[in-house]
Amino acid sequence: MIIREFGVRQGRKALAASLRQGPACLRQLSSLSSETSGTPVAVADPVLQSTLKTSPEAKKTPSLFMQTAKPARKRPVAPDTTKQDWEDAQALRKSMRGVGTTVQPVYSPNDVFRNPPGPKDVTLELLMASQAHMGHHTSVWNPANARYIHGIRQGIHIISLEETAAHLRRAARVVEEVAYRGGLILFVGTRPGQTQIVTQSARLADACHLFTKWTPGTITNSDKILPGLPMKIVDQHDNELEGFDQHLMERRALVPDLVVCLNPLENFVMLHECGLANIPTIGVIDTNTEPTWVTYAIPANDDSLRCLAVIGSVLGRAGEAGNKRRLQDAQKGVVAWETPQAISTWTKIHGKRAEWAARAAREAAEEQAAREAALSGEEPLEKEGEGEVETEGRFRRGQNFRERRPPRASDDS
Amino acid sequence: MSSLRYTVRCLRDIRPTPRPQWHPPAAAATTATATTALPYRPRIHQTARTLSTTASRPADLNNDITKEPPPGWNEFQGAVAATDADADADAGSYPDSSSSSSSSSSSNFGALEAASAVAATPFARAVPVSPSYFSRKPIFNDSYVVVQDLARKYARLPVLPRDKVAPTAWRTKEQYRLAIGEHVKGRDYAECMKLVKRLNQIHPDLMPAEVLAGLAPFKREVNFYLNKPKVLPIDRFGRSHAVGKRKSSIAQAWVVEGTGEVLVNGKPLSDAFGRIHDRESAVWALKSTERIDKYNVWAKVQGGGTTGQAEALTLAIAKALCVHEPALKNPLRRAGCITRDPRKVERKKHGHVKARKMPTWVKR
């Protein structure tokens, strides 16, 4: 249903307005005039009617509304110099770099990501600078951490940095050896802001990372939680191996061989599953955390991203060193890990199947050759006697059967 | 209940191992095709991983397994042992298979080659393809990490204001889930899309190629903002042709500059439509823009009733008029001539007398 009143009231005004703004009208080019108005125009609005009646000369002109139409004013378009400006600014910054006083090394939050410290760089100064010593309020402490605590200052526990450094170095050794033995390491940091830390550590150590919620059962119920996620088979040089598609289809999901947890307080379920599955864990233990949840504790401040970035990069570097050593030894022919039982069993069975298939094929081929030889040899025999023909007929029937038994002594008689 | 579940989980790994069903090759392998599809499923290794929750296997279960070996089992065991010896001595090369594979059929050939390649590698371990393996959403999380890194790396590049950015068709959460097959959480996807849209604001002259690559998984394949409406032509006789629909009527109109003559199905307007209202409706596009004396219309209408035919004509004539004078589109839209009225007869439902009318019902 068309609302005509609306159309009459609004249509003409809108028409005039739009044409004023709009581009050149095709109608303007027309040779026809509007003088011949054969049919009466139904105008419901008395105001409009009066305007139409009072301006007959306007109606006569060929383009009624184009009289008021003006060409759109063109604003001069400034050329976009953003790219040029940006490049100039970069060049200027580069040229001004050497000008002025020499600025002493200052802390930049990105330093730990640009140049990640390794296990060799762990010093008490670095740990102190990254606030690793700050514990929690004394009221929330876990007494099991008493041996890591240096003292109390302004109501909070101060973690002993000698302990932190020693435990961090020990954890780095653990990570390095696990990486050297081809283990799968998982870095977990599920608090907001820890994503960059765990991804960088995993990138360094060629490991896995987790910065979202740990799905309960990822280890103990992995058949249901992680089915069909892509895996690959690699050899001692970390080159991908072909031919294991069937194995990858039917094998079980992977479990990590070492878990590094930056916030054990929120990941008790994961640590418990690791305990059930005999997976060693490394955790950053603050003064309010239970240190027995993890296998290898690193007493440090787990609320400081700066401290966690240092710890994560140290462990990541350790894993990197372990991987490097593993690949170098593999070049020399030394491999410190064994093929997992699942893969070795599958390989054995697969090899046996292939061997038997080959043997069967070979026997079939030999039999075929023998039969052809027999057929070519027996053709002249076919004409000699009736009995011989019968044997031949039986043989031909047997050819169609799937069973091809070797000739027995009874067949000869 | 939880303890029961725990017990069931513990029992999971101590079910008796399914025995391998092996058919001797002499019997089964009569043809080359039969050899490739042996009905054997190795499932032994499925219990290879042992959690500490697993209880040790009861002795009677072990006895049960070893009591009566299936036919062919002893051969199988012997063969496996022989392979072990082979593998120790000579990395598992199969002189038989390599010699016979050349003479056997091609289907056998590939399998044997793969088998020998598998057997020739003494070291093999499984690793996840993606570092986000344990997050259950590896594809999304990998993309998310890439986007976060890019946002960090290119945070200082100049950006366009939001309204100046070329419109991009992003995947919605549901479309993304469908495309990659992972049930991504809405909150995670929203967080990710914030960064993605910020990256997309980078000035196009300075847009790095890796940003474009990183944003690609979040874009739809077809950017519908680039779609252009089809331009209707004016033919060599000065006619424009358009189609309009309403209810179940379909109207075609040819509009040409003229003196206001209208023919609908070969009849003048007054013959085609009995009602004044319908006549007015049919040429309302011309009348509301005061063009009724400037165009001739020749129209065909079919289907439906008089109202539908008249208003289908409105639409057809309005569209055809827009071809002659594109600037009239907005006035015609305000006059209600451009929008297709999508209403149709509602279908009748069962249990109803009509589409919505219910049978009369009185309690007792």
Side-chain angles (χ1 to χ4, degrees):
Chain A
M1 186 66 194
I2 299 166
I3 310 164
R4 288 188 187 153
E5 295 301 314
F6 178 82
V8 167
R9 260 190 230 116
Q10 305 292 333
R12 194 163 170 278
K13 285 180 201 165
L15 174 69
S18 78
L19 281 181
R20 201 175 294 136
Q21 298 162 354
C25 184
L26 288 181
R27 182 69 204 168
Q28 202 181 11
L29 306 171
S30 167
S31 56
L32 294 170
S33 71
S34 65
E35 286 171 351
T36 55
S37 59
T39 49
V41 179
V43 179
D45 196 343
V47 181
L48 265 186
Q49 215 159 11
S50 62
T51 52
L52 285 177
K53 275 176 187 168
T54 48
S55 59
E57 68 278 356
K59 220 179 167 187
K60 279 174 193 167
T61 53
S63 62
L64 174 64
F65 304 108
M66 286 307 292
Q67 281 186 334
T68 48
K70 288 174 190 166
R73 193 185 295 163
K74 282 197 176 174
R75 219 175 275 168
V77 179
D80 191 357
T81 59
T82 314
K83 189 181 182 189
Q84 191 57 42
D85 292 349
W86 170 257
E87 282 160 1
D88 289 352
Q90 295 301 310
L92 185 65
R93 178 182 291 178
K94 201 175 174 184
S95 65
M96 298 288 279
R97 196 163 285 162
V99 179
T101 54
T102 311
V103 181
Q104 292 299 316
V106 290
Y107 168 68
S108 159
N110 270 336
D111 279 349
V112 72
F113 297 111
R114 260 189 240 123
N115 185 21
K120 295 259 171 57
D121 306 323
V122 175
T123 56
L124 299 195
E125 288 86 353
L126 176 67
L127 292 174
M128 171 79 94
S130 57
Q131 302 170 344
H133 59 293
M134 313 275 254
H136 276 271
H137 194 261
T138 50
S139 61
V140 294
W141 83 314
N142 189 325
N145 289 324
R147 54 186 168 152
Y148 306 135
I149 291 175
H150 177 70
I152 298 172
R153 183 187 155 87
Q154 292 182 342
I156 66 165
H157 276 125
I158 302 298
I159 300 168
S160 171
L161 287 181
E162 286 96 344
E163 294 284 337
T164 304
H167 283 80
L168 182 54
R169 290 195 191 105
R170 182 180 67 158
R173 282 300 304 273
V174 171
V175 172
E176 185 179 345
E177 284 304 309
V178 170
Y180 176 67
R181 278 152 218 283
L184 179 57
I185 305 170
L186 171 63
F187 287 90
V188 181
T190 53
R191 278 190 200 163
Q194 294 179 349
T195 309
Q196 196 186 0
I197 299 170
V198 291
T199 50
Q200 190 223 19
S201 302
R203 206 171 290 148
L204 285 173
D206 197 11
C208 288
H209 54 66
L210 179 76
F211 50 84
T212 49
K213 180 178 174 283
W214 171 264
T215 310
T218 306
I219 290 175
T220 50
N221 191 22
S222 59
D223 295 341
K224 291 282 179 289
I225 304 285
L226 302 174
L229 290 188
M231 290 178 273
K232 59 182 177 184
I233 305 286
V234 295
D235 63 358
Q236 67 270 32
H237 305 296
D238 279 4
N239 299 324
E240 192 173 348
L241 291 175
E242 300 294 330
F244 284 90
D245 298 344
Q246 193 197 351
H247 171 66
L248 289 175
M249 295 265 281
E250 64 194 16
R251 69 163 286 141
R252 298 181 75 181
L254 290 170
V255 285
D257 297 305
L258 176 72
V259 174
V260 178
C261 185
L262 300 184
N263 53 339
L265 218 54
E266 285 84 10
N267 284 311
F268 173 72
V269 179
M270 183 199 67
L271 296 171
H272 184 68
E273 288 181 32
C274 290
L276 291 178
N278 275 338
I279 296 168
T281 50
I282 294 172
V284 178
I285 299 297
D286 210 335
T287 56
N288 62 341
T289 316
E290 172 65 42
T292 56
W293 285 1
V294 296
T295 321
Y296 302 99
I298 302 172
N301 179 11
D302 70 349
D303 301 294
S304 157
L305 291 180
R306 192 174 164 183
C307 167
L308 291 181
V310 168
I311 291 174
S313 74
V314 165
L315 298 181
R317 282 283 195 202
E320 190 184 23
N323 281 329
K324 198 178 163 196
R325 197 150 59 86
R326 173 167 55 84
L327 292 175
Q328 281 173 351
D329 282 0
Q331 289 291 337
K332 294 176 202 157
V334 181
V335 180
W337 52 275
E338 295 167 356
T339 304
Q341 199 198 348
I343 299 178
S344 57
T345 314
W346 182 84
T347 312
K348 259 184 234 164
I349 293 170
H350 196 71
K352 263 352 265 187
R353 287 179 60 184
E355 191 187 342
W356 273 340
R359 195 195 297 162
R362 194 184 65 223
E363 283 172 2
E366 281 171 4
E367 221 168 290
Q368 178 77 22
R371 193 182 304 115
E372 279 169 6
L375 275 178
S376 58
E378 276 173 7
E379 268 179 359
L381 292 179
E382 214 172 329
K383 296 164 188 169
E384 287 183 9
E386 290 292 312
E388 293 296 330
V389 173
E390 267 184 28
T391 343
E392 173 63 19
R394 200 168 68 221
F395 194 71
R396 276 191 179 153
R397 276 203 304 278
Q399 200 177 7
N400 294 330
F401 293 159
R402 306 197 78 190
E403 184 188 6
R404 290 174 203 153
R405 56 190 172 85
R408 291 177 195 156
S410 57
D411 289 348
D412 295 337
S413 61
Chain B
M1 191 59 199
S2 65
S3 65
L4 177 66
R5 228 178 274 138
Y6 183 75
T7 317
V8 168
R9 202 183 65 205
C10 289
L11 282 175
R12 188 186 62 174
D13 278 347
I14 59 167
R15 280 170 303 185
T17 314
R19 298 170 199 135
Q21 300 292 316
W22 187 261
H23 296 272
T30 50
T31 60
T33 49
T35 54
T36 53
L38 287 176
Y40 177 75
R41 284 159 192 257
R43 294 175 57 91
I44 304 175
H45 60 274
Q46 290 221 347
T47 52
R49 188 208 312 156
T50 324
L51 304 181
S52 62
T53 50
T54 348
S56 60
R57 184 190 300 276
D60 54 334
L61 273 178
N62 276 327
N63 293 338
D64 191 32
I65 288 173
T66 54
K67 210 172 280 178
E68 36 172 329
W73 172 247
N74 290 329
E75 293 171 34
F76 172 73
Q77 288 293 333
V80 168
T83 325
D84 285 355
D86 282 351
D88 290 343
D90 177 21
S93 70
Y94 299 105
D96 295 354
S97 64
S98 57
S99 66
S100 70
S101 58
S102 55
S103 63
S104 66
S105 66
S106 60
S107 65
N108 242 343
F109 189 80
L112 294 178
E113 287 296 302
S116 54
V118 163
T121 53
F123 291 103
R125 65 192 174 105
V127 291
V129 171
S130 155
S132 308
Y133 179 80
F134 292 100
S135 67
R136 298 181 78 192
K137 301 172 185 76
I139 301 174
F140 168 71
N141 277 327
D142 285 351
S143 305
Y144 190 19
V145 167
V146 166
V147 164
Q148 281 177 320
D149 286 351
L150 289 174
R152 218 174 284 126
K153 188 174 174 186
Y154 296 113
R156 290 174 171 237
L157 280 182
V159 291
L160 292 176
R162 220 176 260 177
D163 52 337
K164 294 286 191 303
V165 179
T168 312
W170 299 111
R171 278 180 173 152
T172 62
K173 181 182 64 182
E174 285 76 15
Q175 286 164 349
Y176 187 79
R177 281 178 183 167
L178 266 178
I180 67 164
E182 289 174 357
H183 192 82
V184 181
K185 276 188 187 172
R187 194 189 58 183
D188 295 346
Y189 194 68
E191 288 292 316
C192 187
M193 287 311 288
K194 256 189 227 166
L195 293 179
V196 165
K197 284 173 184 167
R198 169 64 176 68
L199 279 172
N200 195 44
Q201 273 177 264
I202 292 175
H203 195 278
D205 291 348
L206 292 162
M207 179 71 88
E210 60 174 335
V211 171
L212 288 178
L215 301 191
F218 301 98
K219 284 178 183 167
R220 286 182 59 169
E221 284 87 357
V222 177
N223 187 354
F224 51 82
Y225 291 111
L226 300 178
N227 288 355
K228 295 271 188 297
K230 194 168 73 179
V231 180
L232 294 178
I234 298 179
D235 66 7
R236 61 200 169 99
F237 303 114
R239 300 174 301 189
S240 63
H241 171 239
V243 179
K245 295 180 186 181
R246 166 87 170 97
K247 287 185 170 179
S248 49
S249 310
I250 303 174
Q252 282 177 291
W254 283 262
V255 174
V256 65
E257 290 186 4
T259 53
E261 291 169 29
V262 179
L263 283 180
V264 178
N265 289 343
K267 291 176 273 188
L269 202 58
S270 52
D271 292 357
F273 297 110
R275 282 176 76 206
I276 306 285
H277 188 273
D278 287 342
R279 287 176 206 165
E280 208 173 16
S281 283
V283 291
W284 183 246
L286 296 171
K287 199 171 264 184
S288 66
T289 51
E290 299 177 2
R291 296 288 192 274
I292 197 146
D293 54 342
K294 298 186 180 64
Y295 290 97
N296 289 348
V297 177
W298 192 87
K300 288 199 297 185
V301 205
Q302 56 178 7
T306 50
T307 310
Q309 288 194 341
E311 295 189 5
L313 258 180
T314 315
L315 184 55
I317 291 174
K319 279 157 107 178
L321 183 58
C322 277
V323 176
H324 285 281
E325 294 182 70
L328 283 181
K329 184 157 187 181
N330 271 337
L332 284 171
R333 183 179 296 286
R334 292 196 181 87
C337 301
I338 293 291
T339 312
R340 159 80 156 103
D341 192 342
R343 290 174 298 176
K344 289 265 187 180
V345 175
E346 193 176 340
R347 65 153 286 187
K348 185 197 172 299
K349 280 89 179 175
H350 57 255
H352 289 248
V353 181
K354 302 195 297 180
R356 304 192 180 183
K357 186 183 181 185
M358 292 289 281
T360 50
W361 181 78
V362 182
K363 194 177 181 183
R364 253 181 299 278

